[in-house]
Amino acid sequence: MENPQQSQDVRIVRATSAFDCGGRCPLLLHVKDNKIIRIEGDDHPDSDRQLRTCLRCRAYRKYVHHPERLMHPQKRVGAKGEGRFERISWDEALSILSGKLKETKDKFGPESILLMTGGGYLASLHSGSMAAPRLLNQFGGYTTHYGNISSEGAVWASLVQYGSVMVGHSREDMLNSKLIILWGWDPARMISGSNTMHHLLKAKENGAKVISVEPRYTDTAAAVADKWIPIYPGTDTAMMAAMAYVMITENLQDQAFLNKYTIGFDKFKEYILGDEDGQAKTPQWAEAVCGVPAETIADLAREYAAAKPAALMDCQGPARSAMGEQYCRFAATLSAMTGNVGKPGGSACGGLMGIPIGHMFRMSAIPPGKNPVEMTGPKIKGTLDIRDRVIKRIHINKLWEAILEGKAGGFPADVKMAWSMCNNYLNQIGNANKGDKALKKLPFFAVNEIFMTAQARYADLLLPVTTAAERSDLTYAWPSGPYYTFVNRAIEPLGECKSDLEICEMLSDYLGVKDYRLGAKEEDILKHMVDQNPVTSKYVTDFDKFKNDGIHRIELKEPYIAFRKQIEDPENNPFDTPSGKIEIYSQRVADINSPKCPPVPKYIPTFEDRNDPLFEKYPLQLLTPHPRNRVHSEMYKVEWLREAEPHVLWIHPSDAEARGVSNGDDIQAFNDRGRVAVQAFVTQRIKPGVVCMFEGAWYQPDENGVDRGACANTLTKDDYSGGGAAVMNTSLVQVAKA
Amino acid sequence: MQMGFYFDQTRCTGCNACRVACKDWNDVPEGPEAWMQVKYLEQGETPDVFVAYMLQTCFHCESPICAEACPADAITKRPEDGIVLVDRNACLGKEECGAKCLKACPYQAPQFGPEPGAKMGKCVFCTDRLAQGKMPSCVEACYTRALDFGPLDELQKKYGQAVEAPSFKYSKRTKPSVVMNPKNPK
C-alpha cells in the first residue's frame, strides 16, 4: 500500500468542519489532486487530551466529495417543489437574483424581502448568516426571523435566572461531582462539546453516581448511569416541583445559600406548598403527571440534597417544548436550593453548558451594519418579552405561517420573495407540510445550497455553495472550548461553487452596493478578526502559529466554574440581574404579565400534553432528538453514515404489540399535521406512551402526501413557548402498521 | 509477538466512529463490506434495561481458522506480529469458493462487497499506520477511549486476562488476540 505520509503529492491540511454539530474537532485532511483522500483526528501528543472527532467528520470527505453536490447555478424548469432545474451561468443567476431584489424593494418595500439564514455551517467569514445581512442592510433592508430552533428556552431561562448565558463548567469539572443527574442530556449522541463523553466516563470511573431522567434509555445512560428514571415528555417540571416539595418539607434545602445569593425563594415556596393555587406539589401529585413513582421522586430529592457537590445537568432538549424555559429555570432553582451553583462539582443548570472561552456565542463576524427596516421597531436588546421581538421579526418557528398570512395574520410583512442560506428550514422547523404550502405560494425563492435538500427542491434559483473544506475561516467550539480553531482551505472550490460571502460580493456589483467588499485578502481579514475580537486577542497572540496548528488550546489551571466569582465574592461580583442575585422570582418576568411566563418557575399544562383532549386520538408523545449520524439534516446523503444507523421510530413493546407491530415492520406515524412512513425499532429503552424519531431525515412527500423520508418535523407543531422555545418535543401522534 | 485489541465494553456508546474511520482509512466503499462493525445487545425490561455494544472485527487469531479454510491460501499470518492478512489477488471471490473463510470464522470478520466475484476484505490492523508508529484508525477514532491495541502480552499485563463479554464468545479453537473489559448486567 502506498504510504501517503511520505508521498510527494499528499498534503496534510489542518482544519475543522463548520457544522452545527455539538463539537468542534481538529481534523487532519489528507489532500491529493484537489481531493480529500483520508482523514485523521487530533494529533495532540497526549492521547487522553485529544479532541477526538465523532463518526460524522470521520466521513467528512464523503460529504465534501459527494456525487450529489450542487456544482452549478440552476433555475427551476418544473413546478415549484418538483425539483426540476436547468444549469445557468453565474451571470444569469446573479442577474435574476439582483433583479428580483430590486423589483421587490421598489414595488413592495424592502420588508417584503425575507432573508432566511441559519446554523447549517458556522464560521466567521464565509457563512451566509454573516455575509448576507451586511449586503441587504446596505441595499435597503429586509425582514428576517427571530431566534433559533434550538436554544431559545435555555437562553431565556438563563437570562432570567442569572442574567448570563455562560452557565457551564469546563467538562473536567465533572470529576469533582459525587452525583451527576443527566436530566434529558445525551452527550454520547449530541456531543455537547468535544470530549464531553470522555470526561463523563472518567467522572463515573472516578466514583460519581449517575442517574438519568429521560423518556429514553440513552446511549449515555447505558454507558454511565446507575439508574434510569423514565419520565413523560413535558412533565420534567412536575417532577422537579415535587423534588422541591420534599426538600422544603424535610428541610433539606441549603437555606443559607438561598438567603445569601437568591431572591424570591419564598414566592417559589408558596407555589410548591400549594399556598398559591391550593395544590401542594407532592410526589403523589407529580406521579400522576409525570409517570414517575412518588417514592422514586422523593428518593432522588433526598439524594440530590445530600450529595455535595452534585451536578444536575439539564440541557436543551426538554427545553425545546411548549414550556421549555420552565424546565431550565426549575433545574437552576433546584441547583440553588442544594447550594450547587458556582461550586466545583456542582452546576448552574440553564441548559447551555458553555464557558466564556472559545464560545460560539462570541464568534468574530463580518460587521453587518444596521437593518433600515428594523430602525422603527421597539428596542429589543435584553428584553425578555417575546412579543417585542416579533414586531419587526418573525419567530423562527412561524416562518411558514408568516409567508402564508403576512400582515393580515399579524406578521411584520407580506413576504414577496425569500433568499435562504445555511439552512434547510423546510426540514428543520415545525410543520413541514405547512412549509410545503408556503414555499409553493412564495412568488420567488432563491437558495444557496450545497445539496439538493428537501427545501432546495422548492427554489426558483439555486446557487451552489462551497463546503467548509473549500475555504479558510475561523470556527468556534460548540458550545465552547477552552480552545480556538482555524480552518485552512483544503481544496479549491469544486465545480462553480462559491462561498456565501463570495456570492454576496458578486451580487453587490449587480445591486450597485458600493462598499460591500471588505477590501482585504482572506488571510488578512481572518488575522484582523482574531486581533480585534476581545476574547480571541487575549489568548491567540501568534496568528501564524494558530493558523499552522489549526488550533490554539487554553490551559486552564483549574476547571472553569460558572458564577464562581459571584458565589465566592458576592459583594464585588453581583449577578447581572436587576436584583444582583439569582432570580428565582423575576420581576422582569412578572412585568411581562403573561400566563405562559410565570415569575417563578412552574409546571404548566400545555397543548398536546397527556391531558389534551387530542390525546384520545393521538395517544403517543413524540420526541425528536438529535441524530447521531447526521448533523441535523446535513450529511443526510453520506452513505457511510446512513449505514451506521438506519432511520427508525423507537416504540415500546407494549405500544407496539397493541398495534400489531413487530421490530423492523414498516409503520406510519401520523397526526393532523402529517404522516411519515418509517421502520419500527421496538425497544424497552423508551417509556410506554412515548415514541422517538431522530430529526434531520429529509422530507419526501409522495403523491398521497405521505412523507417517505420520515422527517420528524412533518409531525411537529409550528409554535413556540412563552420564552420563545420551538416546541419540537411537544407533539402527539398515533402509530399504525403500514 | 502477537498484536491484539483491547475492548472496554463499559466505555462503548455504540457510536460507530470506529466503523467509519476504518472505512475512511482503508477506503472501503459504502455497502455491506465493513471491516469494523458494532453489534447491539439489549436485555431486560423498562426501566431495568441492559444495553451493551460489541465490536465485530478480525481479532487476528492465534490459529486463524479462516486461513485453513481458504482453498487458495490467500490468508496468511505475519510471523513478526501475528497480524492476519488476505491477498486479494489470490482470493478466488465469494461465489467461486462459497466464502469458506466467512463460514469458518466465529466472528464474521471476513467481509465481501455486494458485487459478483467480490474479493474478501477484512481488518488489516492498519499495518501502514503501525509502520509509522500510529494507532490503528479505529483506536484513534474512539472518542470514549474504549479501544486500545498492542502486543497481546502487554495488553494482558495492563488490562488483565478477561476474554469473555456479553455478545462475545472466546473461541478456544482459534484463540482471538483480544482482552476484554466486559460490561455485565447490574
Side-chain angles (χ1 to χ4, degrees), chain A residues 300-359:
Chain A
L300 184 61
R302 293 172 194 134
E303 197 166 359
Y304 180 39
K308 295 198 185 300
L312 172 54
M313 305 299 263
D314 62 337
C315 198
Q316 294 169 211
R320 234 170 265 128
S321 65
M323 56 160 182
E325 58 280 347
Q326 300 304 316
Y327 145 85
C328 289
R329 283 203 73 198
F330 235 118
T333 300
L334 288 180
S335 190
M337 284 177 74
T338 53
N340 277 303
V341 179
K343 301 201 179 147
S347 85
C349 302
L352 297 166
M353 298 194 166
I355 66 172
I357 306 162
H359 200 292

Side-chain angles (χ1 to χ4, degrees), chain A residues 1 3 5 30 38-41 47-50 52-55 58-59 61 188 191 195 197-198 201-202 205 217 219 222-223 225-226 228 230 628 639-640 643-644 652 681 683-686, chain B residues 8 10-17 19-21 23-31 40 42 44-47 49-51 53 128-129 132 134-135 137 139-145 183 186:
Chain A
M1 193 182 281
N3 179 343
Q5 306 287 340
H30 293 229
R38 272 175 170 174
I39 286 168
E40 288 180 286
S47 71
D48 189 64
R49 294 195 51 211
Q50 288 173 352
R52 292 188 175 181
T53 190
C54 76
L55 71 159
R58 288 282 168 188
R61 66 181 172 102
I191 311 298
N195 255 1
M197 195 64 211
H198 182 42
L201 282 155
K202 279 186 176 184
E205 287 160 3
Y217 187 54
D219 281 328
D226 298 284
W228 171 39
R628 178 162 52 202
E639 291 82 357
W640 280 354
E643 67 194 24
H652 191 272
F681 171 52
T683 176
Q684 296 280 353
R685 296 174 61 183
I686 191 158
Chain B
D8 184 346
T10 68
R11 282 189 144 248
C12 179
T13 62
C15 80
N16 279 280
R19 173 195 170 108
V20 181
K23 283 210 172 193
D24 175 61
W25 188 263
N26 297 296
D27 212 14
V28 180
E30 63 266 17
Y40 175 69
E42 178 186 316
E45 289 184 5
T46 318
V49 189
F50 173 72
V51 168
Y53 292 99
D128 55 339
R129 294 177 59 86
Q132 295 169 37
K134 292 180 171 180
M135 307 177 226
S137 193
V139 177
E140 185 206 81
C142 182
Y143 59 81
T144 62
R145 281 71 171 177
K183 178 181 186 177
K186 292 180 194 71

Side-chain angles (χ1 to χ4, degrees), chain A residues 417-431:
Chain A
M417 71 165 287
W419 182 21
S420 161
M421 62 209 60
C422 305
N423 76 77
N424 184 15
Y425 284 143
L426 176 63
N427 217 76
Q428 295 307 109
I429 64 176
N431 204 343

